[in-house]
Amino acid sequence: MISFDAAHRAVHYPEDRRFRIWIRPSVLAIFFFILIIPAMFAWGQVFVSGLPHLPALPQFNEGQVSGPHGFPVWVRYSHFFNFFFLMLLMRSGLSILVDHPRLYFNNDCTPGTEWIRFTPLSVPTDRIWTAKDDARYISPIFALPGYRHTVGVARSWHFITVCGFIITGVFFVINLFHSDQWLRLVPTSWDTVVEAWNTFVYYANFHFPPEPNGYYGYNALQQLAYASTVFVMAPLSIMTGLAMSPALVNRFSWYAKLFGGRQSARSIHFLLLNGFLGFLVVHVTLVVLTGFRRNMNHIVIGSDDLKPIGMILGFVGIAVVMLSWIAAHYISWKHPRALQHAQKAVSYPLLLATLNRFQPSQHYRKDQISPYFWPNGKMPLRDDWKKLAAENFRDYRLTVGGLVENPMEFSLRDLGALGIEKFITMHHCIQGWSGIAEWGGVPMKKLIELVRPKDSAKTVAFFSFGGSLYGGTYYDTQTLDNVLKAECILALEMNGAPLTEVYGSPLRLRVENQLGYKMVKWIERIEFIESEKELGKGEGGKNEDDEYFDLLPNI
Ligand SMILES: Nc1nc2c(c(=O)[nH]1)N[C@H]1C(S)=C(S)[C@@H](COP(=O)(O)O)O[C@H]1N2
Ligand SMILES: [Mo]
């Protein structure tokens, strides 16, 4: 148990730590039928004609095999590192999941339309209920780093380990096709499908099919299961992960549509987590039941005998993996800043070279505007904002200063006179929800032309009237080139009406290639500065400072 101070305790370790899963009954029925229908066919087949015939197993011994056999050292290392990274990915994924504990197949995330939720709460309708209020606790025993609203740290782990996962996968697949080992995984004849079904019929009727020695080959069902984790589940996880990127989705929305939309991609990403978990359970069970010692020697030391050494080293490997969870837990709470910087060292250059190059340009139709739009953030408590709000922001003046040739002040009317641009885009919150809305406002580009930043101004800081989760003013920064992108606006309007208080009146930022927390609401002033390092704790924004969020969240 971490010794949080009172403020962090209230967020990370709340009173209400209940864990409940609710699944829409119709979805539950679909899952049930997907599982039960094949089993019923298998039972029927055995009832009518008995257990199917499986071809006799070829008998091998060392020295007289021609095809692929054995487990070369690269297979054994890939197997270990894959397990290592996958576990960290799954554990950090759970922390990310419960930060918005609902999954949908639509784009708007209207409460009540989720197909599964991991919270006992329905969204109250009699008061403002922000996405942050909705975040749930998860035990650090299951998740990395666990607790509640730790999405920043969890993302650091997810994005660092996904690099390891991808490198391991690429290394494995390259070696696979550089040797004859691919023949073990890739079915080369339709007979494999028939045989896989017949093998399934055995398992479904609680019989073991004749087991080949895995050193020389797999049974057909095993082959298909391995092939689909390597060639279907892993790539699909990576692809659905990318389909949650605001930079990608607001540039090429067809990409998210490949998976049925942005939220559907998130749901599939979660179902794949279940796929991996299910694979793990069945795989480990069968490894244990079909000659544990021999199987462990295969995959750990590459020999085909009954000595105990593979098993012993295997347990050491499992211990190392479990120690990595403890080490990750320790780093998460003792050195979160170092973790954040490690993630930044990997991601930032990569994003600058890839996703951040996309110019957001995806527009949606009016009829796609979300009926519900989750609110987030803390409403301003400052009296000056309340007074301005009470008078409809008549006396509001946006000051734009810092490293500019021509510091200026703007009333809302002045801003309106610069010309309002409108577009309909999808908002992506770091917590996981999305929503489509029409935004109307002044392009930052126009403002920049008026105030004329000096050459030394590389960063633009937006300061809010509002506070932040752990106290202090909410602010965030953007690089100059990102605010110059076509769809970066200071929004005065949402869905054709002036911004309401909850959604950021009088002004909020829109930067469609990034996540929601970069879009400061209730903007008080804008300042051009040299570098984000000059402000706060120097990480680029209040959430970056206090919650270890990314400086540039294109994903
Ligand atoms: N001032 C301020 N702006 C903020 C926040 C905040 O807490 N304070 N939250 C951010 C986050 S996390 C998101 S997702 C969006 C939410 O915008 P919405 O309330 O219009 O949905 O606002 C962003 N802007
Ligand atoms: Mo957010």
Side-chain angles (χ1 to χ4, degrees):
M1 174 61 208
I2 305 295
S3 51
F4 294 118
D5 62 33
H8 284 81
R9 202 183 155 82
V11 173
H12 296 323
Y13 198 67
E15 298 270 291
D16 180 1
R17 296 189 298 277
R18 286 173 298 160
F19 183 75
R20 297 271 191 294
I21 299 182
W22 172 91
I23 305 180
R24 184 173 291 283
S26 54
V27 174
L28 204 57
I30 291 170
F31 287 149
F32 178 73
F33 284 116
I34 288 176
L35 288 178
I36 202 75
I37 287 179
M40 282 170 57
F41 274 101
W43 297 332
Q45 181 176 338
V46 170
F47 184 74
V48 174
S49 56
L51 282 169
H53 168 76
L54 285 172
L57 292 172
Q59 294 303 311
F60 291 120
N61 54 57
E62 201 80 57
Q64 62 155 112
V65 262
S66 52
H69 67 282
F71 292 87
V73 67
W74 56 266
V75 173
R76 280 133 55 196
Y77 273 98
S78 305
H79 184 257
F80 172 78
F81 281 106
N82 186 55
F83 176 49
F84 176 87
F85 288 122
L86 194 58
M87 292 310 291
L88 290 171
L89 277 170
M90 295 203 283
R91 289 171 55 81
S92 52
L94 288 177
S95 279
I96 297 171
L97 173 70
V98 296
D99 213 36
H100 186 69
R102 303 167 193 271
L103 291 168
Y104 318 81
F105 285 112
N106 59 52
N107 279 324
D108 52 76
C109 306
T110 303
T113 64
E114 63 267 25
W115 65 267
I116 186 169
R117 62 170 170 261
F118 307 88
T119 167
L121 306 178
S122 296
V123 172
T125 48
D126 56 343
R127 63 198 138 115
I128 296 173
W129 180 257
T130 65
K132 240 156 240 133
D133 294 327
D134 205 48
R136 292 304 291 181
Y137 169 91
I138 185 166
S139 164
I141 293 181
F142 299 110
L144 171 62
Y147 299 93
R148 179 174 168 277
H149 190 51
T150 51
V151 65
V153 171
R155 277 166 55 95
S156 283
W157 286 114
H158 212 66
F159 292 142
I160 291 173
T161 49
V162 78
C163 296
F165 179 70
I166 291 173
I167 291 169
T168 309
V170 170
F171 170 82
F172 176 74
V173 172
I174 288 177
N175 276 291
L176 199 63
F177 289 100
H178 254 278
S179 64
D180 56 3
Q181 287 278 339
W182 65 274
L183 285 164
R184 278 170 166 277
L185 293 195
V186 183
T188 48
S189 135
W190 285 108
D191 294 346
T192 311
V193 179
V194 177
E195 243 179 75
W197 169 259
N198 287 341
T199 311
F200 171 76
V201 172
Y202 273 73
Y203 291 127
N205 287 280
F206 307 103
H207 284 280
F208 269 113
E211 271 301 332
N213 179 343
Y215 198 75
Y216 300 99
Y218 302 133
N219 77 40
L221 188 60
Q222 191 178 11
Q223 181 180 28
L224 289 189
Y226 291 180
S228 55
T229 50
V230 175
F231 299 111
V232 180
M233 294 212 310
L236 208 51
S237 298
I238 294 163
M239 286 161 71
T240 48
L242 276 172
M244 292 185 258
S245 148
L248 191 59
V249 173
N250 277 332
R251 175 66 187 84
F252 302 108
S253 76
W254 59 263
Y255 184 77
K257 284 187 199 130
L258 287 180
F259 310 100
R262 200 276 180 190
Q263 289 302 324
S264 167
R266 185 171 182 251
S267 291
I268 295 172
H269 203 66
F270 167 77
L271 290 172
L272 287 163
L273 162 89
N274 289 272
F276 281 116
L277 268 180
F279 175 85
L280 193 75
V281 170
V282 174
H283 178 60
V284 170
T285 308
L286 288 173
V287 163
V288 171
L289 293 183
T290 61
F292 186 54
R293 254 193 217 197
R294 186 181 286 273
N295 287 335
M296 290 301 272
N297 280 338
H298 291 169
I299 200 60
V300 178
I301 58 171
S303 73
D304 183 33
D305 54 46
L306 288 170
K307 295 198 197 91
I309 181 72
M311 195 171 68
I312 293 166
L313 287 176
F315 282 125
V316 172
I318 292 169
V320 167
V321 167
M322 294 176 83
L323 281 176
S324 78
W325 307 345
I326 297 171
H329 184 80
Y330 176 85
I331 294 169
S332 299
W333 299 110
K334 295 289 180 202
H335 304 288
R337 190 68 75 200
L339 175 68
Q340 179 188 25
H341 288 172
Q343 203 259 121
K344 187 173 167 187
V346 178
S347 299
Y348 194 69
L350 203 64
L351 289 174
L352 284 181
T354 56
L355 292 178
N356 198 50
R357 287 173 174 250
F358 296 151
Q359 297 281 341
S361 69
Q362 189 56 53
H363 291 187
Y364 293 83
R365 295 186 315 267
K366 284 229 186 240
D367 62 294
Q368 292 173 304
I369 290 177
S370 303
Y372 183 89
F373 201 91
W374 279 83
N376 222 352
K378 273 194 165 173
M379 293 283 287
L381 301 170
R382 276 165 58 170
D383 288 333
D384 53 351
W385 181 82
K386 286 184 186 161
K387 183 161 180 290
L388 287 168
E391 294 164 354
N392 247 330
F393 298 98
R394 194 189 57 214
D395 294 332
Y396 169 76
R397 296 291 177 275
L398 169 73
T399 56
V400 185
L403 300 173
V404 292
E405 305 288 352
N406 182 29
M408 288 179 80
E409 280 196 359
F410 300 87
S411 68
L412 288 185
R413 186 175 301 179
D414 298 337
L415 286 171
L418 294 179
I420 300 282
E421 282 188 16
K422 293 187 180 187
F423 48 74
I424 304 176
T425 49
M426 185 186 286
H427 177 99
H428 301 61
C429 173
I430 192 170
Q431 295 186 265
W433 58 270
S434 58
I436 297 171
E438 182 185 55
W439 303 99
V442 188
M444 275 298 292
K445 196 167 180 223
K446 281 195 182 163
L447 214 80
I448 287 172
E449 282 162 6
L450 289 174
V451 300
R452 298 196 307 275
K454 298 183 176 157
D455 286 345
S456 54
K458 298 277 182 271
T459 301
V460 195
F462 300 83
F463 295 91
S464 175
F465 283 104
S468 77
L469 201 53
Y470 302 114
T473 298
Y474 193 100
Y475 78 95
D476 212 291
T477 60
Q478 286 289 330
T479 55
L480 202 52
D481 62 310
N482 264 323
V483 290
L484 285 171
K485 286 189 174 148
E487 292 192 352
C488 182
I489 62 168
L490 286 176
L492 299 89
E493 295 173 8
M494 178 186 188
N495 296 336
L499 276 184
T500 55
E501 295 189 2
V502 172
Y503 293 106
S505 61
L507 272 186
R508 71 176 297 166
L509 185 63
R510 297 297 313 168
V511 262
E512 306 299 338
N513 67 339
Q514 294 167 39
L515 292 178
Y517 66 89
K518 301 294 285 189
M519 309 192 202
V520 178
K521 305 202 288 189
W522 310 293
I523 292 178
E524 183 192 15
R525 64 194 169 87
I526 299 176
E527 214 178 298
F528 287 74
I529 56 175
E530 233 168 87
S531 151
E532 75 282 354
K533 302 211 164 47
E534 296 161 37
L535 301 174
K537 295 178 191 160
E539 301 299 333
K542 197 63 186 164
N543 289 307
E544 294 87 325
D545 287 345
D546 292 353
E547 298 187 50
Y548 311 101
F549 285 10
D550 314 64
L551 175 62
L552 180 63
N554 293 136
I555 187 160

